Amino acid sequence: MNAMLLLVQKLSCDAEEQIFSEVSLAIEKPETYFEKFKDRLDERGIDSPIDQLAWISLVDALLDHDLAFELDWKETGLYICDVVDELLDRKKMVSMNWEEFEDGEFDELPTSQYLNEVSKKLREKGISLACLDIESDCYVLITVPSSDIDEIKKLAQEAGCRIQDSF
């Protein structure tokens, strides 16, 4: 099985069958995938099948199943904590107490630094916050067990993509 499909297994939780189907279609029949998901791809400014179509199909499928969240590059504050809570809840991972983020100390941080602070807190619970790099000015966030992050990053690299766990 190729690295992209192994990533599907690692990231798709209880939606593996649907996500596997979409990513496989993007790999095997890019024109058919493009036609089927033309509206979704148009929102990304993609007007024809591209080399990274399988990667984009994985990202979009994870977003559709609430297993990833696309966050604007200039988003800050407790909204980020709310997003992370939704991702954790969706995967039935531990819930977090964001009390120290409520006092305003972190409010002025740029998004990347805020995400690093959130990431540090999650690591204490054995969870990695990671970003699926789609070469855009946004962050496509996922949460995964810390024990899986190195393998997931390696699979992404083998698939010609990038997942990072530092911002």
Side-chain angles (χ1 to χ4, degrees):
M1 188 176 299
N2 78 28
M4 187 67 70
L5 296 177
L6 290 170
L7 265 177
V8 169
Q9 287 181 330
K10 284 288 189 184
L11 299 177
S12 58
C13 198
D14 59 358
E16 184 175 340
E17 189 175 314
Q18 300 95 320
I19 294 173
F20 188 89
S21 172
E22 285 185 33
V23 175
S24 294
L25 184 62
I27 292 169
E28 296 165 11
K29 297 179 180 176
E31 291 286 341
T32 303
Y33 176 88
F34 178 79
E35 288 304 317
K36 183 174 182 178
F37 295 100
K38 194 172 191 157
D39 291 341
R40 176 161 91 176
L41 294 167
D42 189 51
E43 289 177 21
R44 292 200 178 282
I46 299 171
D47 57 6
S48 64
I50 58 172
D51 290 341
Q52 303 85 8
L53 195 59
W55 177 241
I56 296 298
S57 73
L58 173 59
V59 169
D60 283 343
L62 290 170
L63 289 166
D64 283 353
H65 290 279
D66 299 322
L67 294 166
F69 191 93
E70 194 165 352
L71 188 73
D72 190 79
W73 69 275
K74 57 188 174 194
E75 195 68 60
T76 59
L78 288 174
Y79 178 69
I80 291 174
C81 297
D82 290 341
V83 164
V84 171
D85 276 342
E86 288 179 30
L87 291 171
L88 294 171
D89 185 56
R90 172 66 177 88
K91 292 179 101 176
K92 296 173 178 52
M93 297 174 123
V94 67
S95 60
M96 300 297 293
N97 177 343
W98 301 108
E99 195 172 296
E100 68 264 32
F101 287 80
E102 293 172 3
D103 66 10
E105 175 186 343
F106 299 104
D107 286 351
E108 299 305 315
L109 291 178
T111 306
S112 61
Q113 289 179 8
Y114 198 97
L115 288 168
N116 277 322
E117 293 300 322
V118 168
S119 186
K120 282 183 210 171
K121 182 159 179 76
L122 288 170
R123 273 193 295 264
E124 294 170 8
K125 301 287 186 180
I127 299 168
S128 289
L129 180 65
C131 177
L132 308 175
D133 187 355
I134 58 170
E135 298 179 13
S136 175
D137 64 351
C138 67
Y139 297 95
V140 179
L141 301 177
I142 59 170
T143 53
V144 296
S146 293
S147 58
D148 291 348
I149 192 65
D150 288 337
E151 180 184 3
I152 288 169
K153 286 168 45 177
K154 183 176 178 246
L155 286 170
Q157 185 178 9
E158 288 174 19
C161 308
R162 192 166 79 128
I163 295 177
Q164 57 191 38
D165 61 344
S166 60
F167 303 90

